Amino acid sequence: MSEYDKWNNIKLRTTFDKDNVLIEKTISIYNTNNYKTEENTFDKDGKLVRKVVMEYDQKGMLISRKFYNEKNEMTFSKVFTYTY
């Protein structure tokens, strides 16, 4: 199930098992330019299990995506480059 903000961005996504018990929920955060800047995923007990942080350049192109674990330790980073 998903909830949307006034710009039709997914702000909350919840996942349930076949018995309708919560498995996880993901909260997305957007900047003033309407770009997703952070995605936080929580387990059924509300504990943070994963965080993804996105950064954009002045043209609005995604330039990095960093993944963090439940201890807020970066586990993976992807950098994107563009030729303008």
Side-chain angles (χ1 to χ4, degrees):
M1 179 183 349
S2 298
E3 291 181 26
Y4 299 85
D5 64 17
K6 64 182 178 180
W7 296 280
N8 210 29
N9 296 312
I10 295 176
K11 64 178 185 175
L12 174 65
R13 184 178 61 237
T14 50
T15 305
F16 298 90
D17 69 12
K18 63 182 175 77
D19 296 319
N20 207 30
V21 175
L22 178 67
I23 296 173
E24 69 178 22
K25 71 177 180 178
T26 301
I27 298 171
S28 297
I29 300 169
Y30 299 84
N31 66 16
T32 55
N33 293 320
N34 210 26
Y35 301 131
K36 186 188 296 187
T37 57
E38 195 169 317
E39 190 174 84
N40 297 292
T41 301
F42 302 87
D43 67 12
K44 64 181 180 173
D45 299 318
K47 179 183 170 191
L48 181 69
V49 293
R50 180 177 54 254
K51 177 169 76 170
V52 183
V53 177
M54 294 73 119
E55 295 177 314
Y56 301 86
D57 67 13
Q58 292 178 344
K59 294 184 182 254
M61 300 296 289
L62 180 66
I63 57 172
S64 75
R65 185 177 285 155
K66 297 174 184 172
F67 296 80
Y68 297 85
N69 64 17
E70 69 280 355
K71 297 176 185 174
N72 205 30
E73 301 166 330
M74 187 170 34
T75 58
F76 183 76
S77 177
K78 177 74 175 172
V79 175
F80 303 90
T81 58
Y82 306 94
T83 302
Y84 296 109

